[in-house]
Amino acid sequence: MTLLSDDPKDLELFYTTGNHDIASDSYRLLLKNLPDIKVELEIAPTARIDALLKEDRTMCAVNRIKTPERDLYNIYSYPVHLYPSHRLYYFKNKTPLTDDLLTEEHDLISIQKLITKYPSATIGIESGRSYGNALDKQLSKIKEKNILRRAGSDAYQSMIALFQRQRVDLLITYPTVFKEYTTGQNDNIGSVSIAKHPLFIAGHIACSNTAYSQEIIKQINRALLDLYPSDEYLSMHLHHVPNTEQSLLTRRISDLFLKYKLLSKSDFK
């Protein structure tokens, strides 16, 4: 199986033991439980991965978020991992988040409302990447003059570097990714969760829709059903999240097992 990733670091992390991040740790654990599938990992930009997954040859990709558009031409595994969701990062002195921009729970009401208040602000996003249905809809309503897009296999690192140099005013990314790639002092940088955006994002393996892909997905799903209730799967996740989120994440993983165990009764007929 050719397995595609848009992160060059995966070439090392997928094959190196130890605790690295939720994504690579979960895929190492999954592949260990798929002894009959030989994997060849390749790196490609997100846009190239999108194109390859539309072809009629068997290709699969990691860390894919399920969207209605992708669902038209891809087939998906059950969630391989749950990832602490995107946050919006901002500069406290340039785009302070005043009370009128926040919900009672202190989440950002919407990106549109933030840009309306700061009409000259630019937001950095990665070309071709889905941020989930709710955020994708919000971003589609932002004027192009307020968006800086970045493509390429180093998009995570380069976009955070541009943000730290204040080439963009706002950034949407995962908190674990931001922590990994930021350097120096960040006292002037704040972050906020976004209303109606889930606290955790499910990362899937997505494949082009071929007969062989369908068989691969079935094997992956069987392995995941064995992993979900295991101590190894849970402890791997909990290692990477703050103590304040561990109780909620534990419940979410328990929900995963119950949901997909029920679904599997029809999937594996």
Side-chain angles (χ1 to χ4, degrees):
M1 174 179 66
T2 299
L3 197 57
L4 303 166
S5 171
D6 60 6
D7 190 346
K9 293 184 71 174
D10 284 343
L11 287 172
E12 175 186 356
L13 297 184
F14 267 49
Y15 305 105
T16 305
T17 58
N19 296 310
H20 303 295
D21 56 51
I22 287 177
S24 61
D25 290 0
S26 63
Y27 283 108
R28 274 200 322 280
L29 182 58
L30 173 62
L31 295 177
K32 185 176 73 173
N33 286 271
L34 290 169
D36 296 331
I37 296 180
K38 183 179 179 181
V39 170
E40 180 180 343
L41 184 66
E42 295 184 5
I43 305 301
T46 304
R48 176 63 177 153
I49 292 175
D50 288 340
L52 289 170
L53 292 183
K54 292 179 180 179
E55 295 185 1
D56 59 1
R57 56 182 175 144
T58 299
M59 306 287 284
C60 299
V62 299
N63 297 336
R64 300 292 279 181
I65 294 176
K66 207 170 184 180
T67 69
E69 180 186 2
R70 291 174 175 176
D71 222 8
L72 294 174
Y73 54 87
N74 289 164
I75 56 175
Y76 287 85
S77 71
Y78 298 161
V80 179
H81 57 258
L82 292 180
Y83 211 76
S85 193
H86 308 91
R87 293 179 69 85
L88 182 128
Y89 292 82
Y90 64 96
F91 293 102
K92 298 173 185 177
N93 62 341
K94 295 175 68 177
T95 54
L97 298 191
T98 49
D99 288 344
D100 58 309
L101 295 172
L102 302 173
T103 67
E104 292 182 358
E105 293 75 28
H106 299 285
D107 297 333
L108 179 68
I109 293 173
S110 72
I111 299 168
Q112 299 102 299
K113 193 172 181 67
L114 181 61
I115 294 295
T116 298
K117 178 154 188 161
Y118 301 110
S120 63
T122 55
I123 184 168
I125 63 174
E126 296 156 40
S127 296
R129 182 175 295 280
S130 172
Y131 292 86
N133 294 338
L135 288 188
D136 286 349
K137 288 179 182 177
Q138 290 190 42
L139 290 169
S140 70
K141 298 175 183 177
I142 303 299
K143 294 178 181 178
E144 282 299 314
K145 71 174 185 178
N146 296 110
I147 295 178
L148 177 65
R149 302 180 190 274
R150 184 76 177 185
S153 59
D154 65 341
Y156 281 137
Q157 187 171 6
S158 59
M159 186 59 77
I160 289 173
L162 286 173
F163 177 72
Q164 284 199 284
R165 295 201 299 270
Q166 300 197 29
R167 294 281 301 278
V168 291
D169 306 299
L170 306 165
L171 177 69
I172 298 176
T173 193
Y174 296 107
T176 52
V177 170
F178 188 82
K179 180 180 178 181
E180 180 178 0
Y181 288 114
T182 48
T183 58
Q185 293 296 317
N186 297 306
D187 295 342
N188 188 36
I189 295 175
S191 73
V192 65
S193 55
I194 303 166
K196 300 180 181 178
H197 188 56
L199 292 176
F200 297 97
I201 293 286
H204 303 259
I205 289 178
C207 297
S208 53
N209 196 352
T210 68
Y212 183 47
S213 296
Q214 291 172 15
E215 181 56 37
I216 286 174
I217 290 294
K218 284 185 178 180
Q219 291 186 50
I220 289 170
N221 288 346
R222 288 191 181 100
L224 287 169
L225 283 178
D226 290 336
L227 284 174
Y228 287 157
S230 70
D231 291 338
E232 189 175 14
Y233 184 81
L234 176 60
S235 62
M236 178 274 297
H237 274 79
L238 297 183
H239 178 82
H240 295 288
V241 300
N243 292 338
T244 53
E245 298 180 19
Q246 290 191 359
S247 177
L248 179 59
L249 181 56
T250 299
R251 292 198 299 274
R252 291 287 187 271
I253 290 174
S254 178
D255 291 343
L256 270 188
F257 176 60
L258 295 174
K259 174 182 177 179
Y260 289 100
K261 184 177 181 182
L262 180 63
L263 184 63
S264 69
K265 292 180 180 179
S266 59
D267 285 352
F268 297 146
K269 281 183 178 178

